[in-house]
Amino acid sequence: MRATNPGGTSAANSATRFTYTSPLPPLTALSPNNGPVAGRNLVTITGTNFTGANSVAFGTNYAASGNCSSPTICTMKVPAGVIGMVDVRVHNPYGWSAPVAAGRYAYGPATITAVSPAGGPAAGGNKVTLTGTNLADTTAVTFGTGRNGTGLACTATSCTVTAPADTASTKVSVQAVNAAGTSPVDNRTQYTYGS
């Protein structure tokens, strides 16, 4: 900023700079970032400029109910959707937030497209990497019925887990469990125990 009077205009310097910020409400996180197709679960949306927010959209569907309790937090009941990813956007008096990676929400359970390695020792204890979708909020990885891997660490597209023990020559299905349910089984989810 500079001031002008009959003697002239003040010089520009760093102490007189003024920064304009966007009044739109950017999103920085969703928790959880997935859920059932039927909706009705609560999601906490974190961001900024939520003051006066009057609507939240999950793709083309609007949240059934909820509120923005502060300038940085909104808690919303998710509307029904279809299996897949959608952008969550918040509307305040200045307009809609832009779609961002942190604002992606997945309808439906996780899916696993690869298990690597596809087998290991009967004693277990080896690291296994799962690749797929909707994996960020995975709460358990099962190896067959009743056996969970340990040391679970996940991102949106992969999980690493330590395999449990099982009987030699046993082939099991590996599945990821999250709030939306259990990932489906197909030939890409098989894990074989060696001797």
Side-chain angles (χ1 to χ4, degrees), residues 72-181:
T72 60
I73 298 288
C74 290
T75 303
M76 293 289 154
K77 185 174 285 189
V78 180
V82 297
I83 291 175
M85 301 284 286
V86 296
D87 290 308
V88 177
R89 297 177 300 134
V90 175
H91 187 272
N92 72 8
Y94 300 96
W96 287 99
S97 61
V100 293
R104 299 282 282 163
Y105 182 85
Y107 280 100
T111 60
I112 298 173
T113 56
V115 176
S116 179
N126 57 305
K127 291 285 187 185
V128 177
T129 299
L130 317 178
T131 305
T133 61
N134 301 355
L135 292 170
D137 287 327
T138 298
T139 56
V141 170
T142 61
F143 287 71
T145 304
R147 285 177 305 282
N148 288 358
T150 58
L152 181 64
C154 295
T155 67
T157 58
S158 70
C159 287
T160 58
V161 63
T162 301
D166 204 337
T167 307
S169 302
T170 300
K171 181 180 280 189
V172 298
S173 293
V174 179
Q175 294 175 276
V177 181
N178 66 18

Side-chain angles (χ1 to χ4, degrees), residues 11-119:
N13 63 65
S14 60
T16 62
R17 290 188 182 277
F18 183 83
T19 302
Y20 286 93
T21 58
S22 171
L24 296 177
L27 275 64
T28 56
L30 300 177
S31 180
N33 66 359
N34 60 8
V37 171
R40 298 193 295 273
N41 54 306
L42 292 177
V43 169
T44 298
I45 304 166
T46 306
T48 56
N49 298 338
F50 290 167
T51 300
N54 53 21
S55 190
V56 173
F58 286 71
T60 58
N61 299 318
Y62 295 97
S65 62
N67 66 81
C68 295
S69 58
S70 78
T72 60
I73 298 288
C74 290
T75 303
M76 293 289 154
K77 185 174 285 189
V78 180
V82 297
I83 291 175
M85 301 284 286
V86 296
D87 290 308
V88 177
R89 297 177 300 134
V90 175
H91 187 272
N92 72 8
Y94 300 96
W96 287 99
S97 61
V100 293
R104 299 282 282 163
Y105 182 85
Y107 280 100
T111 60
I112 298 173
T113 56
V115 176
S116 179

